[in-house]
Amino acid sequence: MNIKYQIKNLRTKLKENFQFKTYLFSIFITIIFAIYNIYLGIIYNKGWNISIAIYYGFLIIIRTYILYNENKLSKLNISEYKIDMQKKLYLKQCIMLFTIDLLLIAPISIMVLGQKEVNYSTIPAIATAAYTTCKMILATKNALQAKKIII
């Protein structure tokens, strides 16, 4: 396929597919936050930020994997085969999420042992708070748009 067709296809998908647009935007924001944590880890020489960036890196990989497979599954027409593939995909996602949860041991250990000093300037604190607030607002908005109430 040529690049013009792929770009046109991507634009159409972004306009018409709410789930695709949401996943893509979420991946983009997470990439920025991971890069920002790498930057903070290097500037302030903090292992905590590097370990959080590694966690977000793996989270990005999982989200990309989900987006790729959901796109593949949406093209399938055979319902029984599609359901079987969804179950396998769900199991793989659960295993990957459990694995990255184990990656949180490092930053949590650093926090518990008191090795994470909070001596950043105001800008990193505000940036982290802004990221968290943005993700919460977008998650709530997307849940309401999808007409699903998360309790």
Side-chain angles (χ1 to χ4, degrees):
M1 284 196 252
N2 68 25
I3 292 182
K4 287 183 182 181
Y5 176 75
Q6 289 177 341
I7 292 172
K8 183 180 177 186
N9 191 22
L10 179 64
R11 283 185 188 159
T12 303
K13 209 169 200 178
L14 283 172
K15 288 179 184 176
E16 296 174 359
N17 191 333
F18 173 76
Q19 184 180 13
F20 179 76
K21 180 172 46 175
T22 303
Y23 261 83
L24 206 57
F25 185 74
S26 179
I27 289 169
F28 176 72
I29 294 295
T30 307
I31 288 170
I32 291 172
F33 192 67
I35 291 170
Y36 184 66
N37 269 293
I38 290 170
Y39 169 78
L40 289 178
I42 292 170
I43 295 299
Y44 291 104
N45 196 24
K46 298 292 180 186
W48 187 84
N49 290 98
I50 299 295
S51 60
I52 286 295
I54 291 169
Y55 167 78
Y56 277 108
F58 280 100
L59 192 59
I60 291 163
I61 291 168
I62 290 173
R63 286 180 174 171
T64 306
Y65 175 79
I66 291 169
L67 182 64
Y68 172 77
N69 283 296
E70 285 295 326
N71 189 35
K72 265 178 45 177
L73 285 173
S74 69
K75 295 175 184 173
L76 293 177
N77 291 330
I78 307 168
S79 62
E80 196 170 305
Y81 178 71
K82 188 175 183 175
I83 291 171
D84 188 45
M85 292 299 291
Q86 285 175 326
K87 287 179 183 177
K88 287 179 183 177
L89 180 62
Y90 181 74
L91 180 61
K92 287 178 186 177
Q93 290 169 10
C94 289
I95 292 169
M96 288 189 290
L97 285 171
F98 178 74
T99 304
I100 67 165
D101 283 345
L102 295 177
L103 289 174
L104 285 176
I105 291 173
I108 290 171
S109 298
I110 291 170
M111 287 174 60
V112 169
L113 297 174
Q115 295 176 354
K116 183 191 183 296
E117 297 175 21
V118 182
N119 58 0
Y120 301 131
S121 67
T122 307
I123 294 172
I126 291 172
T128 302
Y131 169 80
T132 304
T133 304
C134 176
K135 290 295 274 189
M136 291 301 294
I137 290 170
L138 288 173
T140 303
K141 176 183 169 260
N142 291 336
L144 292 173
Q145 278 185 330
K147 298 191 189 307
K148 293 180 182 177
I149 300 174
I150 301 171
I151 298 175

